[in-house]
Amino acid sequence: MANVLTGRAWVLGEHIDTDVIIPAKYLITFDPHRLAPYCFEGLDPSLASKIQPGDIIVAGHNFGCGSSREHAPIAIKALGVSCVIARSFGQIFYRNAFNRGLPLLESDYPAGSIRTGSRLRVDLDGGRVENEATGEVFEAMPIPAFMQELLASGGLIPYVLQQMARN
Amino acid sequence: MGMTLTEKILAGRADRDRVRPMETLSVRVDQTYADDLGGPITFQILEEHGVRRIFDPDRFFVSAMVNAPSKSIEVANTIGKMREFCERMGVERFYEGGNAGIHNCLAVEEGLVLPGELLAGGNSHACTGGGVGAFATGMGSTDIAAILITGRTWLRVPETIRYIYKGELPRWVTGKDLILFTIGKFGVDGAQGKAMEFAGEAIARLPMEERFALPNMAVEAGAANGIIEPDEKTLEYVRPRARRPFTPVYGDPDADYAALHELDVSGLEPVVAMPHLPSNTKFLSEVGGVAVDQVYIGSCTNGWMTDMRAAAEILKGRKVAKRVRLIVIPSTTQIYRQCLREGIAEIILDAGGIFSPPTCGPCIGAHMGVLADGMRSVSTSNRNFVGRQGSAKAEIYLVNPSVAAATAVLGRLGSPDEL
């Protein structure tokens, strides 16, 4: 995984919940390619078709609140989204995303400073988000050490199996 | 400085004398479970990694509950694979068909989550288990797979917020109203990443089953877990069900809380969560006569025996309003049977309602009452997000079972006092 990502922003709102990210009617499958077209359907059914690989989701508080369905990060990742930046995350979603290798950054970016279409440069290790057009730089919480270990191991299961082999 | 109930349970499961909030711990898991949404992902992960044995088949159970009984060939195939997986791994507790139930309720009812224990279930409403004084939290499929491999998980010790409910609850005000009121006051991220500890005389007076609504919806305030200290009522409920010995755990008197909130509930009215967030609350009298198309009484929040009786008390000898589809769904087979014994099923059918075997169905827009465009649902479940029960163009209002039953008769949101 590249530690510096660049991509186009999609600015979404507050409390984007897992039912909006992927409604339960699609959960009869967990095939990423079948889920992706319906991602964010509850917000805007055409959004999934507009999001391009490498794009970055930017949201408000509590992104991913609600269900434990891992289909939510699976669908977001399947769209090619490289990371999600939000003011805060629902905590089950937070775990699921890292377990699936989708990085998340918590940042208290100023309202209005990032717009849909803004090109962002995101330094995951340093916890920095830069709006390339305006040159503004926003601090983000560095990804916790444990989450970095998970990402480096390739996710939770390889991490757990490596730990068991070591012990 | 002492530890809160949540901290003490986590310290015990980490084999430590003490822990502090924000520490990341590896903890032993006493019980876990999976359903037909998350379970298939968990099992695929285990198969991909060649895992042939799970840590303890007795500490794991599986319930086909969301799209079950199978609503399609694809679902039937998935559930078939889940059953095969359980047989291969020696998992005896596979709930489907004649013993089906919503796993968050089964865990409590079957004595599989116990005071002082640590439950990590594959469903966000696994936090329901906090109602017996356990640390109970929901997780996704990969976390459950890791637990099945190691018997352990990692947790960040949450800070605890203590909510103290004082006073006596007025008629028609229930545990469900207490949690809706609390989420309305503090917001859907009011306890983000925290433990919500529910206490006070109003909680002590609640029947066990009504208590469960509070930790059940703790996740709707962003909490890691909700918990109620076990009292004599808890132990009376748990003792005959417990599948293994247990030791209740209590918080220290000098424990350090992140916040204490005292709430006087004497003047409370039934609460309605308006579309589209559980925090968007109003008192019932402030809502006005919102006409409804569907009333759903059930889910892991309010499909308990207490809830079935409350609904039946209102519906007895009355008829559901013409345009309303009333669906009543007990959360487990034991509750379903009890409804048959007590004549509750008949009361609901006589009123013109639908009485269904246990399933999550309508709560999650899976089957059995999916909402069409423009439909308005009054529901005793826990979430009213956009598209939760079907169409993204539908509306969901969350209430307690008595208000839901009265609404079904009135054809609009209203109080049992109006009947």
Side-chain angles (χ1 to χ4, degrees), chain A residues 14-21 23-30 34-35 41-43 45 61-63 65-71 74 87-96 98-100 106 141 144 146-147 150 154-161 163-164, chain B residues 24 36-38 40-41 44-46 49 51 66-67 71-72 74-75 78 121-124 137-143 145-146 149-150 153-156 188-189 192-194 219-220 222-225 276-277 364-366 383 385-392:
Chain A
E14 298 284 315
H15 308 298
I16 303 293
D17 62 76
T18 46
D19 283 273
V20 158
I21 296 172
K25 62 185 164 184
Y26 302 118
L27 307 188
I28 51 170
T29 179
F30 51 94
R34 285 176 63 194
L35 292 173
E41 188 185 73
L43 206 58
H61 293 93
N62 212 15
F63 182 89
C65 59
S67 167
S68 60
R69 61 188 68 161
E70 208 155 293
H71 312 67
I74 291 174
R87 298 187 194 280
S88 64
F89 291 94
Q91 70 150 26
I92 304 176
F93 176 85
Y94 187 85
R95 294 178 74 113
N96 287 347
F98 280 98
N99 287 345
R100 283 270 150 193
E106 278 186 77
M141 294 237 296
F146 181 68
M147 292 303 176
L150 288 191
L156 178 66
I157 300 300
Y159 172 84
V160 159
L161 293 173
Q163 293 289 111
M164 284 178 83
Chain B
T24 299
D36 49 321
L37 296 190
I41 304 178
Q44 194 201 41
I45 291 168
L46 296 177
H49 288 88
V51 176
V66 178
N67 289 310
K71 70 166 182 182
S72 65
E74 187 163 21
V75 168
T78 300
N123 184 284
S124 59
T137 194
M139 290 184 180
S141 303
T142 303
D143 274 317
I149 295 169
T150 63
T153 192
W154 68 269
L155 287 170
R156 198 175 63 173
V188 282
D189 52 0
Q192 190 89 299
K194 307 273 200 300
V219 65
E220 262 55 73
N225 68 312
H276 295 283
L277 277 182
I364 194 170
R383 287 193 180 132
F385 298 152
V386 172
R388 172 74 177 179
Q389 294 184 358
S391 169

Side-chain angles (χ1 to χ4, degrees), chain B residues 66-376:
Chain B
V66 178
N67 289 310
S70 307
K71 70 166 182 182
S72 65
I73 296 169
E74 187 163 21
V75 168
N77 286 335
T78 300
I79 293 174
K81 274 195 220 160
M82 285 167 59
R83 189 187 303 107
E84 281 168 27
F85 176 90
C86 288
E87 283 167 4
R88 262 202 321 279
M89 296 289 174
V91 177
E92 301 252 328
R93 292 193 184 93
F94 183 80
Y95 298 88
E96 197 214 354
N99 65 353
I102 304 177
H103 54 15
N104 305 316
C105 302
L106 284 172
V108 176
E109 187 185 67
E110 299 266 301
L112 295 165
V113 56
L114 299 164
E117 286 199 344
L118 195 155
L119 167 85
N123 184 284
S124 59
H125 293 107
C127 45
T128 310
V132 297
F135 177 93
T137 194
M139 290 184 180
S141 303
T142 303
D143 274 317
I144 300 300
I147 292 168
L148 291 178
I149 295 169
T150 63
R152 304 182 76 87
T153 192
W154 68 269
L155 287 170
R156 198 175 63 173
V157 180
E159 291 181 298
T160 299
I161 304 177
R162 190 168 158 99
Y163 301 81
I164 305 150
Y165 299 86
K166 299 208 154 166
E168 197 151 347
L169 290 184
R171 180 106 170 104
W172 309 125
V173 178
T174 67
K176 175 64 165 292
D177 301 287
L178 292 184
I179 189 63
L180 286 177
F181 178 69
T182 307
I183 295 168
K185 196 170 166 66
F186 298 101
V188 282
D189 52 0
Q192 190 89 299
K194 307 273 200 300
M196 295 177 93
E197 187 174 315
F198 305 105
E201 61 201 21
I203 300 294
R205 279 198 215 104
L206 285 181
M208 270 315 279
E209 291 186 341
E210 262 189 56
R211 289 185 188 180
F212 294 138
L214 287 110
N216 172 272
M217 289 191 69
V219 65
E220 262 55 73
N225 68 312
I227 197 161
I228 300 172
E229 200 159 72
D231 60 10
E232 198 41 49
K233 213 182 264 183
T234 315
L235 299 177
E236 271 173 32
Y237 179 88
V238 170
R239 273 191 209 109
R241 301 162 191 270
R243 298 291 182 124
R244 47 186 176 252
F246 65 94
T247 311
V249 171
Y250 299 90
D252 294 323
D254 60 342
D256 193 14
Y257 293 96
L260 292 171
H261 297 301
E262 285 197 8
L263 303 153
D264 186 354
V265 298
S266 307
L268 218 58
E269 280 182 48
V271 181
V272 180
M274 313 286 286
H276 295 283
L277 277 182
S279 57
N280 192 14
T281 56
K282 286 187 179 174
F283 287 126
L284 180 60
S285 63
E286 300 169 337
V287 175
V290 175
V292 303
D293 306 291
Q294 177 166 300
V295 172
Y296 161 49
I297 302 173
S299 86
C300 57
T301 316
N302 283 124
W304 297 101
M305 205 55 228
T306 314
D307 305 317
M308 298 293 114
R309 288 182 187 131
E313 186 192 328
I314 309 279
L315 292 167
K316 190 166 187 175
R318 296 198 168 98
K319 291 281 180 203
V320 171
K322 229 175 187 174
R323 292 181 57 254
V324 176
R325 180 166 74 195
L326 168 69
I327 304 173
V328 182
I329 309 184
S331 298
T332 71
T333 299
Q334 278 194 43
I335 302 168
Y336 184 76
R337 277 179 186 278
Q338 189 62 27
C339 286
L340 296 178
R341 278 190 215 109
E342 293 185 18
I344 288 174
E346 192 125 30
I347 290 170
I348 290 157
L349 294 171
D350 286 348
I354 298 160
F355 186 69
S356 156
T359 173
C360 297
C363 167
I364 194 170
H367 69 158
M368 299 282 304
V370 175
L371 301 181
D373 295 349
M375 272 181 93
R376 222 175 251 152

